[in-house]
Amino acid sequence: MLLDTYGRVATDLRVSLTDRCNLRCTYCMPEEGLQWLAKPDLLTDDEIVRLVRIAVTELGIEEVRFTGGEPLLRPGLVGIVERCAALEPRPQMSLTTNGIGLERTATALREAGLDRVNVSLDTLRPDVFQRMTRRKRHGDVLRGLEAARSTGLTPVKVNAVLMPGLNADEAPDLLAWAVEEGYELRFIEQMPLDAQHGWHREGMVTAGDILESLRTRFTLTAEGEEERGSAPAERWVVDGGPHTVGVIASVTRPFCHACDRTRLTADGQVRTCLFASEESDLRGALRAGAADEEIARLWKLAMWGKKAGAGIDDPSFVQPSRPMSAIGG
């Protein structure tokens, strides 16, 4: 198992399949994009499947989330999902996507064995979407969501980041829309993971702000810690149920004490936390011919050194050098 010195056991693996993205969200990367990883630096499909197999069969991983960048840009995505679905024991598999391209791939992904999707959508207004993402693709995301729902990639979860001066007033409208459409909405506090290093805590929309805004239109009842478990989102029942809304407050209400995640970057590095400043190389061992047992040992060693928390409130905190697009959300 992947145990750390604080007694936490990682059972949830996040796998970044690419650092590339077809949007340029203001809270993630600059308009001109980034210096992408060279193809030889990326894990191959076979290497990804091998690492997932080791994680599932040797290290106790039960859930696998494919992320990016934008994972739908990975040419071999459907094959990777199909091969991971054939593992014994079979992990639960999900995908975090911006939704562009999901309309044409949802059926193939479902048939390959994907269980569900998380789709990022920060606004219901096409003009605001264009300002936030620097792309005119709002309709593509909505059609992608519809395709995910109709093909059974459920529950479909929608992730939204609120930004001052852009969409900070949209929380009630987003929740009303999600309830009507049958999507599970989760608001995510903006995190210090932007390539421009322009994040400032003073200007962020906090979990408290979001809940205050939602309560102007809805009655929210907390689910409680027992129902939450190790999930990153605190959830509230909306108007007595059955719908819920979640808030992932990584900055103001960190949940590090219950974290059960381990992360694999697109170039084969283990990260113990989104905010970690260190990485442990598995790609080098893979390509040097290491046996599965050695790969598992290196992974265990990396997770054993996981810190107690993200340390955002520590005055010595340094924002990770790699942005969210390069390490997976």
Side-chain angles (χ1 to χ4, degrees):
M1 68 173 65
L2 292 172
L3 177 69
D4 67 34
T5 55
Y6 297 93
R8 297 167 297 192
V9 177
T11 57
D12 186 333
L13 169 62
R14 308 295 170 96
V15 182
S16 175
L17 299 179
T18 178
D19 59 330
R20 295 174 183 265
C21 189
N22 42 14
L23 296 181
R24 297 291 182 269
C25 296
T26 55
Y27 52 79
C28 185
M29 69 172 73
E31 186 170 3
E32 64 275 14
L34 300 169
Q35 182 67 47
W36 308 122
L37 291 168
K39 187 174 181 179
D41 294 333
L42 293 171
L43 292 175
T44 66
D45 293 0
D46 287 344
E47 288 171 336
I48 290 170
V49 173
R50 182 183 174 196
L51 287 174
V52 172
R53 176 177 57 77
I54 292 170
V56 169
T57 62
E58 304 290 335
L59 298 173
I61 290 297
E62 299 171 357
E63 299 180 40
V64 177
R65 172 88 59 84
F66 297 109
T67 70
E70 173 45 53
L72 293 181
L73 295 179
R74 176 86 186 202
L77 172 62
V78 173
I80 290 171
V81 170
E82 186 172 32
R83 292 168 67 184
C84 291
L87 294 173
E88 292 290 344
R90 182 196 186 280
Q92 286 290 305
M93 292 186 298
S94 58
L95 179 84
T96 294
T97 172
N98 61 30
I100 297 173
L102 190 55
E103 181 182 18
R104 67 175 181 273
T105 55
T107 298
L109 287 168
R110 181 61 175 154
E111 290 176 350
L114 192 70
D115 294 301
R116 64 171 190 83
V117 294
N118 286 26
V119 179
S120 298
L121 181 64
D122 303 319
T123 176
L124 299 176
R125 302 183 294 224
D127 60 319
V128 176
F129 181 91
Q130 184 176 350
R131 289 172 63 193
M132 294 187 72
T133 68
R134 305 182 178 107
R135 297 292 186 270
K136 293 183 178 181
R137 307 299 297 271
H138 191 259
D140 293 308
V141 180
L142 294 179
R143 288 189 292 274
L145 280 161
E146 293 168 3
R149 179 178 57 195
S150 65
T151 55
L153 291 171
T154 54
V156 177
K157 296 184 179 180
V158 176
N159 296 337
V161 176
L162 299 183
M163 302 281 288
L166 288 169
N167 63 337
D169 62 331
E170 283 196 70
D173 290 340
L174 280 164
L175 181 53
W177 165 79
V179 167
E180 181 178 352
E181 296 293 334
Y183 303 136
E184 185 175 326
L185 180 63
R186 303 192 308 176
F187 292 99
I188 303 176
E189 286 184 337
Q190 184 194 3
M191 295 178 283
L193 293 169
D194 58 310
Q196 312 91 292
H197 290 197
W199 178 86
H200 297 287
R201 181 170 183 145
E202 313 81 61
M204 65 176 287
V205 180
T206 67
D209 297 330
I210 294 166
L211 293 170
E212 182 179 1
S213 179
L214 292 176
R215 286 183 172 122
T216 63
R217 197 183 305 181
F218 303 94
T219 300
L220 303 181
T221 306
E223 274 197 338
E225 288 298 317
E226 184 174 338
E227 289 81 3
R228 180 182 184 183
S230 61
E234 293 182 79
R235 297 205 308 176
W236 283 263
V237 177
V238 179
D239 290 341
H243 301 287
T244 62
V245 62
V247 179
I248 299 177
S250 301
V251 178
T252 63
R253 303 181 185 181
F255 41 87
C256 303
H257 68 283
C259 181
D260 65 349
R261 282 163 290 287
T262 183
R263 300 176 184 274
L264 185 65
T265 68
D267 55 348
Q269 311 300 305
V270 171
R271 294 182 67 91
T272 60
C273 174
L274 268 176
F275 304 103
S277 57
E278 305 90 15
E279 298 177 338
S280 300
D281 181 29
L282 295 186
R283 185 190 64 197
L286 279 174
R287 295 182 179 177
D292 288 358
E293 293 77 12
E294 175 62 10
I295 299 295
R297 186 190 70 81
L298 292 172
W299 207 329
K300 289 179 182 179
L301 185 62
M303 292 305 295
W304 183 252
K306 184 173 182 173
K307 296 180 179 179
I312 298 176
D313 288 323
D314 191 320
S316 63
F317 174 75
V318 177
Q319 182 171 330
S321 57
R322 294 219 262 179
M324 183 162 52
S325 62
I327 58 180

